[in-house]
Amino acid sequence: MAQAAIFGCAGPQLAADEAAFFRDFDPYGFILFKRNVDTPEQVRLLVDALRHTVGRDAPVLIDQEGGRVQRLGPPHWRRYPAADVFVRLDKVDPEAAEAALRLSAALMAADLIDLGIDVDCLPLADVRQAGAHDVIGDRAFGGDPVTVARLARIQVDALASVGVTGVLKHLPGHGRSMVDSHAELPRVDADRDTLEAVDFAPFKALADVVPYGMTGHLLFPAFDADRPSTQSPVVVNEVIRGAIGFDGLLMTDDLSMEALGGAIESRASASLKAGCDLVLHCNGRMDEMVAIAGEVGTLIGPAAARAARADAERMRARAAAIPPSKDAAYRLETLLAGLGTA
């Protein structure tokens, strides 16, 4: 039975100590970053090597959003627009914006499937707020929760149509963050009614659509004044599972982010005790992964059932995948150029 963790690795090839550790520990899945990417053939070999260590078709994740957050890029892969481009197009021509978003997501998915990567950490359902920190910024589908839900649904459906499963992030909402959670803990002082009406609404609309979810590391005093959302039983159970209704496989955001204080192993144990199903650790540091391994057990009970459902959905998407048409890239460029955003 897989262990309740997703890990990264240090470089473009799997080191012997990493392979041995993954064989012994058996993490549920893996995640790739720019440091792991050189050429298409190299990435394929790395993905195969990672799965070989655990002896199963484990999920391999990546953050391929477009815009600022794009682990694959030139010269081997095209650049993709940030989410805000589609928001701006949507205000001019909603039909063309939706078509462009479908094409962009499908082409991204085709890039990933070609490498053996089958999970993309998209869509963001965060509702962007004026004056908030740029850590979300143009990565979000704007500030209207209805538009965010509509465009995020289009994006995740287009990914799935080409065989890539999405991850709903950042539960329960990162759009009000006034600081970068990679560096410090954001505090969100909005009241419950505002959060439920605005920030939580897109996540609620997508709760039954995406089999994987990812928390954000933020403090919501309206629900828990002491613990970040990732480590708060109140936020995980009453908000994410309750008010939002997400019953998919819930992973933390990266435990290495400095929004979470304390030793790395205590970050992991607190997150799992709060109700997260999986911990996500991205920096590839062996000492930290070993420390986390001492706090993480196997996926059991409801977490195991959620993992089985997510795996089944991942396999269904891959089996039913339809590659984008040969003219998809040209059609995307035409739509973007025609609307003044090329």
Side-chain angles (χ1 to χ4, degrees):
M1 181 66 70
Q3 305 293 302
I6 295 171
F7 284 140
C9 58
Q13 287 83 36
L14 194 59
D17 62 337
E18 292 173 326
F21 171 72
F22 293 149
R23 277 196 299 271
D24 291 342
F25 179 68
D26 190 19
Y28 170 72
F30 304 97
I31 187 165
L32 302 185
F33 279 77
K34 279 189 176 180
R35 67 178 183 270
N36 307 123
V37 171
D38 184 10
T39 67
E41 183 57 25
Q42 168 268 319
V43 177
R44 292 186 197 104
L45 290 171
L46 177 59
V47 169
D48 288 346
L50 288 166
R51 288 194 170 118
H52 181 73
T53 65
V54 294
R56 56 185 162 80
D57 197 354
V60 177
L61 291 69
I62 198 167
D63 292 288
Q64 186 74 348
E65 297 177 9
R68 289 179 290 142
V69 180
Q70 187 163 316
R71 312 306 187 199
L72 306 175
H76 299 292
W77 300 275
R78 65 175 55 83
R79 294 192 186 278
Y80 291 97
D84 185 64
V85 168
F86 303 104
V87 178
R88 289 187 279 119
L89 300 188
D90 193 59
K91 293 175 181 177
V92 176
D93 187 337
E95 184 176 342
E98 292 181 5
L101 178 56
R102 287 191 189 94
L103 289 165
S104 180
L107 287 164
M108 279 199 297
D111 289 344
L112 301 185
I113 285 294
D114 177 62
L115 302 172
I117 301 167
D118 58 0
V119 180
D120 194 357
C121 297
L122 281 177
L124 274 73
D126 305 306
V127 181
R128 184 178 184 178
Q129 299 296 321
H133 191 279
D134 194 43
V135 64
I136 297 300
D138 64 359
R139 299 166 62 196
F141 285 119
D144 170 50
V146 174
T147 300
V148 171
R150 175 172 57 87
L151 295 180
R153 175 65 183 265
I154 289 168
Q155 186 178 56
V156 76
D157 285 350
L159 290 173
S161 73
V162 187
V164 172
T165 304
V167 179
L168 184 61
K169 67 183 189 185
H170 304 84
L171 286 151
H174 210 313
R176 295 181 189 272
S177 175
M178 301 303 292
V179 297
D180 184 350
S181 55
H182 294 85
E184 55 185 305
L185 178 64
R187 177 187 173 100
V188 176
D189 287 318
D191 59 54
R192 290 185 178 223
D193 289 345
T194 299
L195 290 168
E196 289 178 358
V198 179
D199 302 65
F200 301 168
F203 292 100
K204 189 172 183 177
L206 294 164
D208 295 330
V209 176
V210 191
Y212 294 104
M214 180 187 293
T215 65
H217 302 323
L218 302 97
L219 189 69
F220 291 90
F223 296 94
D224 190 331
D226 301 316
R227 293 165 293 194
S229 45
T230 299
Q231 299 175 339
S232 168
V234 178
V235 174
V236 172
N237 295 301
E238 295 184 15
V239 178
I240 296 174
R241 299 296 191 195
I244 289 172
F246 179 76
D247 193 35
L249 190 64
L250 183 65
M251 68 188 75
T252 70
D253 204 343
D254 183 10
L255 292 183
S256 326
M257 294 166 63
E258 292 309 315
L260 300 180
I264 198 75
E265 58 267 34
S266 65
R267 299 180 189 189
S269 60
S271 302
L272 293 171
K273 288 175 182 176
C276 293
D277 297 316
L278 295 166
V279 296
L280 174 67
H281 180 266
C282 298
N283 67 20
R285 284 185 53 178
M286 179 60 70
D287 60 330
E288 293 189 357
M289 291 192 290
V290 169
I292 290 168
E295 299 294 331
V296 170
T298 57
L299 284 162
I300 59 173
R306 294 182 187 115
R309 291 198 301 270
D311 286 339
E313 180 59 33
R314 187 167 54 91
M315 299 305 175
R316 278 195 296 270
R318 281 168 41 179
I322 300 174
S325 62
K326 291 182 179 180
D327 67 344
Y330 171 78
R331 289 162 56 205
L332 175 60
E333 291 169 5
T334 300
L335 285 166
L336 296 177
L339 292 165
T341 62

